[in-house]
Amino acid sequence: RSVGACGAAVAHGPRTRLWALNLGGFLGPFGGQVVVPMLPEVAGALGTTVPAVAWSWSAYTFAMAALLLVSGTISARWGRARTVRTAFLVYAVATLLCGIAPTIGWFYAGRVLQGASNAFTTPILVAALYAAVPRERLGGALGRFGSLQAAGMAFAPLLGGIAAVVDYRLAFVAIAIASLLLALVPPADAPPPEPGAAHLSQAERWRSLLNGRLARACGAAFAFNFSAAGVILLIALLGGDRFGLGPSGRGVVVAALGVAGLLTAPQLGHLVDRFGVRRVGLVAFVLLASVTLVTGLAETVWGLVVAALLAGAATTGSRIVVNNLAVTSTPANPDGATSMSMSWMFLGSAVAPLLCIPAYGAGAMIGFAVTAIGAALAAVFLLPRLTAPAVPEAAGVVD
């Protein structure tokens, strides 16, 4: 173990509650996707249509993507503890607003506020992990964080659907309570884990984001998540069109992606530690592209489930790689670098329905082929060898 890595672990590790960081990773995707299985119930309660309620996912995603561009760097100025505590409190209020909303307009407002506040939690939690663990164990830590994110994605449809049977509002109340509890254990404030970074001005932190390593992380984030989001949509559509699956059946198949991520994320994180970001990233991106392309050939439901499991594992590996590449790209501003890459990641998921669904309408294989392009492009961003990130001088700027 290097001296610098030991220093980071000793300085920051004991003061950071890793379980709280990982639980925060669960809450973001869970709160975002919990509305999916309850669309009819919410529409009936608010006197509107299912498509109108479905647009609340776009409201959540675009609000989060927009603020992710700046949330990490703002956090570096405000302090992680204050930023995350405030964000979780706002998330709780926004979630309660969704639960008690009397009209679709108020429901949209709650979802926008949810997305906006989530932009100030997830990337800061990743940066806190970066500051809390030795570098040679960062992949494993991000793998555990990724497994909780995958669990949030997998269990949101199930638990949201169960709550909707009784009263969909119960799901929002439970999420609000969890958010309030997490506000009590924010990540500890700590100086950046590289010498000199603590003395940089806010303008220097912004300029430090202008580096090639982060640019490649952002490009790969957008591209792979375009495929990841698109394959979820198309698997659900194919399950209904080709195999006649109803809503519950499609939900089970889609949940397989999250379950695969939950089970494989820790191992994938350790592979990143052992073989490096570039090698594991190339394998994960190529696997995601390949699985996406051949999913359209599935002839049985079990074939579709196997495709979903492989896509889930590849997606989780891709996310771990991108988070690792981003958070290590800018020693002067790891919070800002992580939030910047996540913004592009969520933008990719927001764009996916606009291109993948029309392509699928022209033919199943056309849809899956278009969807696979994103992951293939992500691999291109990793083809050149990655250069080590520059360490800031006491009064300098990362190039």
Side-chain angles (χ1 to χ4, degrees):
R1 178 183 298 180
S2 67
V3 175
C6 290
V10 172
H12 310 309
R15 294 184 293 165
T16 302
R17 299 175 177 87
L18 296 183
W19 67 266
L21 301 182
N22 289 320
L23 186 56
F26 173 92
L27 189 62
F30 183 88
Q33 299 203 26
V34 73
V35 73
V36 173
M38 59 179 68
L39 294 178
E41 288 76 15
V42 176
L46 301 183
T48 186
T49 65
V50 169
V53 179
W55 270 101
S56 69
W57 167 246
S58 296
Y60 181 103
T61 304
F62 280 115
M64 184 175 179
L67 284 176
L68 277 169
L69 290 170
V70 299
S71 61
T73 302
I74 291 175
S75 166
R77 181 175 183 179
W78 289 352
R80 287 178 187 150
R82 182 168 64 168
T83 299
V84 172
R85 181 184 293 114
T86 302
F88 275 130
L89 289 174
V90 174
Y91 194 85
V93 172
T95 304
L96 286 176
L97 178 58
C98 291
I100 65 174
T103 65
I104 188 63
W106 282 105
F107 190 77
Y108 282 155
R111 294 291 283 172
V112 168
L113 197 56
Q114 272 189 314
S117 55
N118 197 20
F120 288 86
T121 58
T122 303
I124 286 80
L125 297 177
V126 171
L129 282 174
Y130 171 64
V133 301
R135 295 302 157 265
E136 67 271 19
R137 285 164 38 197
L138 179 60
L142 291 177
R144 288 186 290 274
F145 185 85
S147 71
L148 269 295
Q149 287 188 302
M153 295 176 62
F155 294 128
L158 175 62
L159 299 181
I162 292 174
V165 172
V166 182
D167 189 333
Y168 75 85
R169 296 173 180 85
L170 294 176
F172 291 107
V173 171
I175 294 169
I177 292 173
S179 186
L180 288 174
L181 292 176
L182 286 172
L184 300 177
V185 283
D189 281 322
E194 300 293 349
H199 305 289
L200 297 178
S201 68
Q202 191 72 356
E204 289 171 325
R205 286 195 176 97
W206 281 111
R207 288 197 295 270
S208 71
L209 298 176
L210 300 176
N211 68 80
R213 190 180 176 96
L214 178 56
R216 291 166 68 178
C218 292
F222 175 91
F224 102 80
N225 216 41
F226 171 87
S227 291
V231 76
I232 291 175
L233 293 170
L234 298 195
I235 284 177
L237 290 174
L238 191 67
D241 296 340
R242 184 172 296 177
F243 305 112
L245 297 179
S248 59
R250 295 195 300 269
V252 170
V253 174
V254 170
L257 284 96
V259 172
L262 173 63
L263 296 177
T264 61
Q267 291 74 25
L268 292 170
H270 291 308
L271 288 176
V272 172
D273 289 332
R274 182 175 180 181
F275 296 106
V277 169
R278 182 172 176 269
R279 290 179 182 177
V280 178
L282 287 172
V283 172
F285 295 151
V286 171
L287 177 61
L288 179 57
S290 302
V291 170
T292 300
L293 184 62
V294 302
T295 298
L297 300 175
E299 297 181 352
T300 65
V301 173
W302 283 112
L304 194 63
V305 171
V306 170
L309 290 170
L310 291 173
T315 295
T316 300
S318 300
R319 185 178 295 110
I320 293 170
V321 163
V322 166
N323 284 342
N324 195 309
L325 181 59
V327 77
T328 59
S329 69
T330 314
N333 190 0
D335 303 67
T338 304
S339 68
M340 180 72 71
S341 73
M342 285 189 178
S343 175
W344 285 94
M345 189 183 301
F346 276 90
L347 185 60
S349 67
V351 170
L354 304 179
L355 299 179
C356 298
I357 292 180
Y360 177 85
M365 281 307 302
I366 296 176
F368 282 99
V370 169
T371 304
I373 292 174
L377 180 60
V380 173
F381 284 103
L382 290 190
L383 285 178
R385 291 198 173 274
L386 299 168
T387 57
V391 177
E393 301 296 336
V397 181
V398 175
D399 292 330

